[in-house]
């Protein structure tokens, strides 16, 4: 999965840098917390993502720091909220689809 996020200058128009997500794993603890807030099959629109983000902001920022290691702490102040929500929605859908495709048969 390829996800990009822009960090803007203080004028909020000029792009300071564009970073690509380092998608790998999301710790199961975060997945459990997300699942408590919203059911995977109900994340279909931006409002669902906003609900998750607002209820879990501290946990999400920890994950975002790992997913976007090139973004420094102060950079988050200059990321467009609408762009961030779209990125989060895309990532959540990607990971939930991957989880749903895990085989459930037992190994012999």
């Amino acid at each position: 999965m390829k996800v990009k996020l822009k960090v803007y200058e203080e004028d909020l128009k000029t792009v300071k840098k564009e970073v690509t997500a380092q998608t790998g794993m999301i710790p199961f603890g975060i997945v459990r917390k997300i699942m408590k807030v919203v059911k995977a099959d109900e994340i279909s629109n931006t409002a669902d993502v906003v609900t998750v983000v607002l209820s879990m902001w501290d946990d999400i920022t920890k994950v975002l720091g790992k997913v976007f290691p090139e973004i420094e702490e102060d950079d988050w102040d200059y990321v467009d909220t609408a762009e961030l929500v779209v990125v989060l929605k895309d990532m959540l859908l990607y990971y939930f689809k991957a989880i749903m495709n895990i085989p459930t048969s037992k190994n012999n």
Side-chain angles (χ1 to χ4, degrees):
M1 178 176 81
K2 193 165 198 161
V3 179
K4 291 187 179 187
L5 193 60
K6 296 176 187 168
V7 177
Y8 294 89
E9 296 286 352
E10 288 187 25
D11 65 7
L12 302 177
K13 294 178 183 176
T14 308
V15 176
K16 177 180 177 180
K17 60 183 167 183
E18 185 174 278
V19 296
T20 302
Q22 302 297 317
T23 54
M25 67 169 207
I26 291 181
F28 185 66
I30 299 297
V31 173
R32 278 192 348 224
K33 290 176 183 178
I34 292 171
M35 296 301 277
K36 285 181 184 177
V37 177
V38 64
K39 294 179 181 159
D41 60 350
E42 292 179 3
I43 296 181
S44 59
N45 61 53
T46 304
D48 296 334
V49 176
V50 171
T51 299
V52 172
V53 170
L54 292 177
S55 64
M56 306 179 54
W57 182 247
D58 290 335
D59 292 321
I60 288 174
T61 55
K62 287 178 189 175
V63 172
L64 287 174
K66 292 177 183 176
V67 173
F68 295 102
E70 297 172 43
I71 296 183
E72 298 172 25
E73 183 65 32
D74 292 342
D75 288 340
W76 290 111
D77 293 339
Y78 301 101
V79 171
D80 180 21
T81 304
E83 289 178 18
L84 180 60
V85 168
V86 170
V87 164
L88 286 170
K89 182 183 92 173
D90 291 346
M91 288 174 57
L92 288 171
L93 289 172
Y94 172 81
Y95 285 113
F96 285 138
K97 285 178 183 176
I99 289 170
M100 297 304 180
N101 289 326
I102 294 174
T104 56
S105 62
K106 293 183 181 181
N107 292 331
N108 292 331

